[in-house]
Amino acid sequence: MIPTKSFQPLSLVTLGLAFLLCAPDFTGAQQNRVMGEVKFSGATKIEKSSGVWIDGQYVGYLKELKGDKKIMLLPGQHEISVRQTGYNNFKQILVVEPGRVHILHLQMTQDLRVSYPGSDAAELKLNVKPDRAAVFVDDGYIGHAADFGGAFHRVKVELPGYRTFETEVNLLPRQKSKVETELVAGSILQAGPLIKEQ
């Protein structure tokens, strides 16, 4: 017969696990004394559909970064970068304080060096799942998959936690085409180099 004393540590572990499972959710910045929350504010559709990188890692597009996708960061300095095709990159170093909500107000400015395709441009539509993935054309970020159409050549779609999708598209003038894919789940380590800011 096994002595009952050997079961006591297991009972304490089980009790501790049960407590953790029943503990209230303290994910908000006001309740979390360690993490700080970062919120983004943008007035136009341009800002709201812009891609966000934190410390060189793509996290999603601005409009979706709330609720269960809100940004909680450890205290300290973090580099925030926001990108949108046809606009200058927004970069800021933000000092995150523990337990505080930090609001970052954005106003994207148009990049006057960008040239746009003419009336004979081809069109390629994307249907990508998950639609929050970042889209790169010829290695340049052009937006996220949910809000997309345009003309280009080499297409990469990346999202941390998924394998990179890449294809080459050669379109004739005024030709219309569509690419559909569902990203395959993988490790965050499998994300390609474009998803990490250089």
Side-chain angles (χ1 to χ4, degrees):
M1 185 165 161
I2 301 173
T4 56
K5 287 186 179 183
S6 66
F7 288 106
Q8 285 180 333
L10 182 60
S11 298
L12 290 174
V13 170
T14 305
L15 179 61
L17 181 59
F19 175 76
L20 286 175
L21 292 174
C22 297
D25 182 14
F26 292 116
T27 57
Q30 290 83 7
Q31 297 148 339
N32 188 325
R33 299 191 196 292
V34 175
M35 306 287 274
E37 182 177 356
V38 179
K39 290 185 175 184
F40 298 91
S41 171
T44 70
K45 183 179 178 183
I46 299 301
E47 285 89 14
K48 291 176 184 175
S49 63
S50 295
V52 178
W53 277 255
I54 297 178
D55 298 329
Q57 181 71 44
Y58 177 75
V59 294
Y61 61 97
L62 189 134
K63 186 169 102 176
E64 73 166 339
L65 298 177
K66 57 187 176 190
D68 65 342
K69 290 184 182 83
K70 69 183 169 186
I71 301 297
M72 302 294 292
L73 297 174
L74 287 171
Q77 285 189 352
H78 296 276
E79 182 180 81
I80 311 292
S81 177
V82 181
R83 296 192 229 170
Q84 178 64 269
T85 187
Y87 289 80
N88 294 309
N89 292 349
F90 171 90
K91 282 193 178 188
Q92 182 174 330
I93 300 294
L94 179 67
V95 177
V96 174
E97 300 290 344
R100 291 202 182 149
V101 176
H102 305 273
I103 299 175
L104 202 59
H105 299 281
L106 300 173
Q107 184 174 4
M108 302 299 286
T109 58
Q110 196 165 14
D111 186 348
L112 301 176
R113 299 169 295 163
V114 174
S115 62
Y116 294 93
S119 62
D120 65 342
E123 183 179 318
L124 177 65
K125 299 247 182 211
L126 295 178
N127 184 0
V128 177
K129 292 182 183 175
D131 64 2
R132 58 188 298 267
V135 178
F136 299 87
V137 175
D138 297 333
D139 294 338
Y141 174 75
I142 58 169
H144 61 279
D147 190 23
F148 211 79
F152 28 82
H153 309 275
R154 189 176 41 168
V155 178
K156 288 185 184 178
V157 181
E158 299 187 49
L159 183 64
Y162 292 85
R163 294 183 181 191
T164 298
F165 170 80
E166 183 174 2
T167 189
E168 290 202 14
V169 180
N170 296 314
L171 299 173
L172 300 172
R174 296 187 179 91
Q175 180 181 4
K176 292 186 178 185
S177 186
K178 184 176 184 179
V179 173
E180 292 189 55
T181 188
E182 185 166 339
L183 296 181
V184 176
S187 167
I188 193 166
L189 299 175
Q190 291 174 312
L194 294 177
I195 204 75
K196 295 182 180 179
E197 196 169 50
Q198 299 168 13

